[in-house]
Amino acid sequence: MLNIYNSLSNQKEKFIPIFENKINMYVCGMTVYDYCHLGHARVMVAFDVVYRYLKLSGYDVTYVRNITDIDDKIIQRANENGEEFTALTERFINAMHEDERALGVQKPSLEPKATENIDAILDMITQLIETGYAYRGKIINDASDVYYDVSKFEEYGKLSGRNPDDLRAGERIAVNTDKDDPLDFVLWKAAKEDEPYWDSPWGKGRPGWHIECSAMSTQMLGNHFDIHGGGHDLQFPHHENEIAQSEACTGEKFANYWMHNGFIRIDEEKMSKSLGNFFTIREVLKDYKAEVVRYFMLTSHYRSPLNYSTEQLDAANAALDRLYIAIRGLSLNVKDAVGGSEFEQRFTEAMDDDFNTPEAIAVLFDLSKEINRQNKKGNNKEAVGLGNILLKLVAPLGLLEGDVESWFKGESSADGLDNKAIDDLVQQRIDAKSNKDWAKADEIRDQLQANGISLEDNGAETIWRRD
């Protein structure tokens, strides 16, 4: 039975979907004004694993992950570049999709953009005004901001555990005196000169950030759905505000389970653009295989902080080597995997315990050791059977999906020693050994090692890999 840590109750809870065998899940996506960094990668990978595991567990899953394609940062960056904001966002949406594909992240079921859901946003704001949960600010040139009145929502703070009175006590005197309360937040922003805008009952303007997700999630999944997720930094105020405005508007509970992934840390400090200590996905992929980065993301529980370092990535690369070595040379077909093994039971127990990927990965290594043991004993049939189980279990983690030989051989090296040339040299060495020309065999081995190629002799067969 699947148990999920619910940020709303601060405890693990037995997962019971609203509709039998049907799950609706919404995850806050990226604001597209720059390349995605490792923090974004963790959100992508963490909820991709959740999505994969739920589907492989037999659920019909609708996974919605939005795109924020209009906000202050987008407008500022577009103005700095001297381009239309739509050109900027389209470029970085395409880049985001490239990063996702590299990391093996599956497409969500739906990927709504804020700019494509303005009508739903306007409808929700209108409803909030009519029911007294929102109000207009100062009207200038027939346009005004619209604010949510936090004091009207009695349960404000129930997700983050923050007391509104304590929050107010910590507030300085607001510069923006247009709000009735320093905790009130903007639903609609009146457009400034030369800013993009949409027509509304409150004049020309654009949506605030929080209302976008409430409108898109309820539009795509209904007023009440199963899982809402995102980074831990979104718990307050973004997700708190989503609950307030959504439940005030619909009169229904917003989401049953709230999931938040932990931060990426650099030298034990939170990675963020404001601190200037972040790495884009593209920067990291110049030095490491995408599967190594994905594996690294899964070595820590999704709710825990994850410390980034080259040592950690090197360790991830070595760990994946061990898994690929276990299945190298085996003729596998995941469809032939036998169910109900001890390894599958342990793996399922780990994943059912709030998607505990570190424990699940430990099971994979126990399984790989047994494959190696059977291989050494010459029990090919047993090794193949266990290899099929390994491929079945690893599927929700999105690992071992590449060609085994490509993992070890990779691409041609910069000095021009391509894969064919290496194959030819390996064969020459085999021939030299067959002719007992040990000096030539050693010379070829040294030549390959000097080019970063390791050899492994397995009887009459020799396999190679790039270091």
Side-chain angles (χ1 to χ4, degrees):
M1 176 61 67
L2 175 62
N3 289 274
I4 295 177
Y5 185 91
N6 190 350
S7 299
L8 191 61
S9 64
N10 289 319
Q11 62 184 6
K12 289 180 186 177
E13 297 179 7
K14 179 176 164 183
F15 177 70
I16 303 174
I18 297 170
F19 303 105
E20 186 176 3
N21 296 324
K22 169 69 179 172
I23 295 175
N24 289 324
M25 178 171 72
Y26 183 91
V27 173
C28 291
M30 271 50 81
T31 301
V32 285
Y33 68 98
D34 206 342
Y35 291 112
C36 292
H37 54 64
L38 286 178
H40 297 134
R42 192 167 198 202
V43 176
M44 293 175 184
V45 172
F47 288 100
D48 181 62
V49 169
V50 172
Y51 182 37
R52 285 169 177 256
Y53 186 69
L54 292 175
K55 287 194 298 180
L56 290 169
S57 298
Y59 290 105
D60 175 15
V61 186
T62 300
Y63 173 25
V64 180
R65 193 187 64 219
N66 76 294
I67 296 174
T68 296
D69 60 345
I70 182 67
D71 88 330
D72 292 339
K73 293 177 181 177
I74 290 171
I75 295 170
Q76 180 180 345
R77 182 64 59 84
N79 289 340
E80 291 171 354
N81 293 349
E83 63 180 328
E84 293 293 325
F85 85 94
T86 51
L88 175 84
T89 57
E90 191 63 27
R91 184 166 70 255
F92 286 116
I93 288 170
N94 290 336
M96 176 184 71
H97 288 156
E98 290 173 1
D99 291 340
E100 289 169 354
R101 287 192 293 271
L103 292 170
V105 173
Q106 296 184 348
K107 290 183 178 179
S109 312
L110 299 165
E111 196 173 45
K113 299 176 184 176
T115 58
E116 295 174 349
N117 289 272
I118 299 297
D119 287 345
I121 292 169
L122 294 176
D123 288 345
M124 182 167 272
I125 296 173
T126 299
Q127 176 76 3
L128 289 169
I129 291 175
E130 290 177 350
T131 54
Y133 283 94
Y135 60 92
R136 293 186 70 175
K138 187 181 299 182
I139 300 173
I140 301 175
N141 297 326
D142 297 324
S144 70
D145 294 339
V146 178
Y147 298 100
Y148 183 89
D149 188 345
V150 168
S151 68
K152 296 292 180 64
F153 189 72
E154 293 183 357
E155 293 185 291
Y156 191 80
K158 66 179 178 179
L159 177 66
S160 61
R162 305 192 186 198
N163 185 300
D165 291 334
D166 293 339
L167 291 170
R168 289 187 185 94
E171 287 285 338
R172 297 180 180 180
I173 297 174
V175 175
N176 181 3
T177 56
D178 204 22
K179 295 195 295 184
D180 292 347
D181 187 308
L183 296 187
D184 294 350
F185 56 90
V186 68
L187 301 173
W188 186 259
K189 291 187 174 185
K192 299 176 183 176
E193 189 176 353
D194 297 327
E195 282 188 346
Y197 65 84
W198 287 262
D199 290 322
S200 81
W202 321 287
K204 300 181 188 303
R206 55 189 170 85
W209 177 36
H210 309 301
I211 195 67
E212 295 175 7
C213 285
S214 286
M216 286 186 280
S217 59
T218 54
Q219 179 85 350
M220 303 291 167
L221 300 176
N223 296 342
H224 179 206
F225 52 91
D226 297 291
I227 299 172
H228 195 312
H232 181 72
D233 55 329
L234 300 184
Q235 188 170 354
F236 184 87
H238 184 54
H239 288 164
E240 193 74 71
N241 291 349
E242 277 191 70
I243 290 174
Q245 61 202 5
S246 300
E247 296 188 358
C249 183
T250 67
E252 299 180 44
K253 185 175 183 177
F254 186 37
N256 283 352
Y257 302 87
W258 287 83
M259 299 178 64
H260 293 96
N261 65 270
F263 297 125
I264 298 280
R265 304 177 72 85
I266 308 292
D267 296 326
E268 302 304 332
E269 187 174 44
K270 178 192 169 187
M271 187 186 74
S272 71
K273 289 187 176 181
S274 61
L275 294 174
N277 66 344
F278 71 98
F279 296 91
T280 67
I281 296 171
R282 294 175 173 231
E283 287 172 330
V284 178
L285 293 186
K286 289 178 182 178
D287 298 317
Y288 291 92
K289 297 173 185 175
E291 190 172 355
V292 171
V293 178
R294 184 181 178 98
Y295 179 92
F296 162 68
M297 297 285 172
L298 301 179
T299 56
S300 180
H301 191 277
Y302 78 89
R303 287 190 285 113
S304 301
L306 179 60
N307 199 53
Y308 170 86
S309 69
T310 55
E311 291 80 10
Q312 293 275 30
L313 288 174
D314 289 339
N317 190 85
L320 278 171
D321 279 351
R322 290 163 56 195
L323 292 178
Y324 271 110
I325 286 170
I327 61 174
R328 192 175 193 180
L330 299 179
S331 181
L332 302 179
N333 186 342
V334 69
K335 293 181 181 179
D336 295 332
V338 176
S341 69
E342 172 205 346
F343 296 106
E344 184 173 8
Q345 292 173 12
R346 290 171 53 204
F347 183 90
T348 302
E349 286 174 5
M351 292 298 288
D352 280 349
D353 183 16
D354 194 32
F355 309 99
N356 192 333
T357 55
E359 287 295 325
I361 287 172
V363 176
L364 300 181
F365 280 104
D366 287 345
L367 179 51
S368 69
K369 289 177 184 176
E370 184 60 23
I371 294 172
N372 291 333
R373 193 172 75 86
Q374 295 299 333
N375 265 327
K376 287 180 180 179
K377 292 170 62 176
N379 295 333
N380 180 261
K381 182 177 179 181
E382 288 79 0
V384 168
L386 293 168
N388 289 332
I389 293 173
L390 178 60
L391 290 187
K392 177 185 178 182
L393 298 188
V394 83
L397 305 185
L399 302 173
L400 305 187
E401 293 185 340
D403 176 72
V404 177
E405 291 307 311
S406 295
W407 170 264
F408 291 108
K409 296 180 178 180
E411 301 298 328
S412 300
S413 58
D415 62 5
L417 196 59
D418 60 21
N419 291 352
K420 184 179 183 306
I422 297 170
D423 286 335
D424 289 343
L425 286 169
V426 169
Q427 186 59 50
Q428 290 175 34
R429 179 174 176 269
I430 292 172
D431 293 341
K433 289 174 65 179
S434 178
N435 295 328
K436 300 187 185 320
D437 189 348
W438 310 117
K440 184 175 181 180
D442 290 345
E443 179 184 340
I444 294 172
R445 181 199 60 205
D446 293 343
Q447 179 185 353
L448 289 169
Q449 286 180 341
N451 282 274
I453 308 300
S454 294
L455 302 178
E456 181 182 335
D457 293 321
N458 186 12
E461 182 186 13
T462 297
I463 55 179
W464 63 267
R465 55 169 293 179
R466 296 184 188 275
D467 294 334

